[in-house]
Amino acid sequence: MRLGGLLEQEPGGLAEALAWYERAAGRNHEKAPEGVARVRAALARAAASDAKAADAAKDAEAALMRDHAAAARDGQVKSMLALASWHLGAKRVQEALTWYRHAAKAGHVHAMVISAQLLALDPKKQAESLDWYRKAAAAGNTDAMHCVGRSLKQQGNLPDALAHFRVAAAKGHQAAMIDAAEILEQTARAPEALKWYQRAAEKGHPKATLEAERLRSALAGTGPAGSTTAKPAPAKPKPKKAAAEPAPAKPAPAKPAPAKPAPAKPAPKKTAAEPASKSAAGRTPPKPPAPNEGAQPDPASLRAAAVKHERSDRPEAALQCLLRAEQLGDRTAKRDIVRLYLALRDRSNSSVERKQHVRQVVRYRDLAEGSDVETMLALVGLDTANSFAWRQRAAEAGNTRAMRQIARAQLKAGSDEHVQAALSWLLEAGKAGDTAAILEGARAHEKCGAYGNAIDWYRWAEDNGVAGAAKEVARVTAEHPGAVVWHRWSERLRRLRG
């Protein structure tokens, strides 16, 4: 009975207090029936007040929409968008499309894109949808450029599709980078395709890293494979066989067959010239035969040989090939050289390998100072004393993955200042096209209790095609209707104050 009285005074404790009062009444406590009646009446009043609050929220929202409707009829684009969003949230698609069209006709680019998306749901309105996408693309919207490019690609117009993809990709659109790379690869322009795959990987696209590695290996493999096969393939020995004069020369070497062991001895002498260069670089047997096949090895063939050695689990031989390629002017070999040095260090705990590790950190710093973003990210793990500084530099250079990592660290710190800084980084990453950052920003706002801002971010994610974002909008709106209405009123007051 006393516990029921204490719970009755606690905020939100009426239901539990009622349970204890009813338990006491079951044991024939004389004051328990009075407590049961009192708490039930209090619960009824609370339910009625909640219903009134819900009705008040609905009335306030309806009044706000009436104000927006009046302003929209006067030509206010923001009010048109507010009405369209309200109708779309209530699944009144046609009403939402009407207002989005009005805003699009008034020149609002985002409304053009949403109108195109809603029209695309109707198979009979594909032409009008594409028309709005074209208008938004002409106004500079990268999502619209990508959609127009996709349509042209489906029609088989690859040159125009590639032109749209290139413009959108140059502005940071990740999907456009991938599509541009695919067309370039299909049209035998693999080096440029690799460039776009690498840029998409730097932006955090999950598929791009794998595609870049695949194409890089293909370029390295096809170059030497083509050269090595091109050398035996020309069938130059066949014309020699076809010649009648060398034919008797074949039986002649059959006699000096015992003399062949003599040249077999100088053969190792040729290899002895190779170990001279190899011993200068490391301790490997005469494994890299690729440079030997050509009298003057070029960086491409050396890199290809390195790929083959690494696939055969011979990192030391691969390292020697890359070191020679670097000496011959291959500026791109440095990163792979460092990677192989570190791989060899992981295989051994000797002090020599640790010294090599220190040297490779210096190599990586040189690359990072040259604004190589991937190298900056690698230094986060190598140069642990300055890991945060390198991650911040990568973020300032535009790497969205680094932006998200910094934001997560600041969100863990928890202070208001850190949370605001984290949201700023997520906003920058979202503007650069990183949809994962948009979702993280929405969740961060929701965790902080800023439900109106969370809905805005979820809608932003929905506009960028994130699956499930619309459900998140509906969930937050249903769970916190009062907060959403208050957010809309505060936004309206902010606009009125200028």
Side-chain angles (χ1 to χ4, degrees), residues 70 80-81 321 340 386 413 433 468:
M80 297 177 191
L81 293 173
C321 291
L340 286 172
N386 301 304

Side-chain angles (χ1 to χ4, degrees), residues 18-331:
L18 178 61
W20 283 103
Y21 280 137
E22 289 175 341
R23 185 176 178 182
R27 295 185 177 182
N28 298 322
H29 195 286
E30 59 181 7
K31 294 184 179 181
E34 180 183 350
V36 170
R38 183 175 64 252
V39 173
R40 283 179 176 171
L43 286 171
R45 289 193 299 272
S49 63
D50 290 343
K52 288 180 181 178
D55 292 339
K58 290 180 180 178
D59 293 340
E61 187 175 13
L64 180 61
M65 290 302 109
R66 285 194 295 271
D67 293 344
H68 276 310
R73 285 190 289 270
D74 290 339
Q76 293 291 328
V77 176
K78 290 184 178 180
S79 294
M80 297 177 191
L81 293 173
L83 284 169
S85 178
W86 181 54
H87 284 300
L88 191 61
K91 298 183 179 180
R92 295 186 289 268
V93 178
Q94 292 304 317
E95 290 85 346
L97 178 58
T98 299
W99 286 111
Y100 276 128
R101 272 176 171 159
H102 285 309
K105 291 176 181 177
H108 196 277
V109 179
H110 183 65
M112 297 178 190
V113 176
I114 301 298
S115 298
Q117 291 174 348
L118 295 177
L119 288 166
L121 299 175
D122 188 348
K124 298 180 181 179
K125 297 180 180 178
Q126 299 298 314
E128 185 181 356
S129 171
L130 185 58
D131 185 51
W132 280 118
Y133 274 132
R134 287 197 183 101
K135 290 179 180 178
N141 185 275
T142 55
D143 289 331
M145 293 177 194
H146 181 245
C147 290
V148 174
R150 280 284 181 90
S151 176
L152 292 168
K153 184 180 179 181
Q154 291 174 358
Q155 297 169 12
N157 189 349
L158 295 184
D160 289 345
L162 180 58
H164 281 81
F165 289 147
R166 273 177 168 159
V167 176
K171 293 185 178 182
H173 197 283
Q174 294 182 26
M177 295 177 188
I178 298 297
D179 284 323
E182 288 176 353
I183 292 180
L184 289 165
E185 191 174 356
Q186 291 171 10
T187 53
R189 286 175 278 183
E192 188 179 355
L194 178 59
K195 181 191 74 171
W196 285 116
Y197 279 136
Q198 288 172 336
R199 286 193 59 180
E202 290 173 0
K203 292 287 185 181
H205 195 283
K207 176 185 174 183
T209 303
L210 296 176
E211 292 298 323
E213 290 296 331
R214 175 190 61 77
L215 187 54
R216 189 183 295 112
S217 299
L219 285 172
T222 53
S227 61
T228 54
T229 52
K231 291 177 183 176
K236 291 181 181 177
K238 291 180 181 177
K240 289 181 181 179
K241 291 177 183 179
E245 297 176 3
K250 290 180 180 176
K255 295 176 181 178
K260 285 183 180 175
K265 294 177 182 176
K269 292 179 183 177
K270 292 181 181 178
T271 57
E274 297 163 6
S277 61
K278 294 175 186 178
S279 59
R283 57 176 197 282
T284 52
K287 290 177 182 176
N292 295 337
E293 293 178 0
Q296 294 181 352
D298 59 282
S301 62
L302 287 166
R303 179 175 281 278
V307 171
K308 291 180 179 179
H309 288 309
E310 193 170 358
R311 288 176 181 172
S312 301
D313 197 22
R314 293 182 292 185
E316 292 182 352
L319 179 60
Q320 306 316 315
C321 291
L322 289 172
L323 286 169
R324 292 187 63 187
E326 185 182 28
Q327 291 174 357
L328 293 174
D330 188 352
R331 297 181 180 179

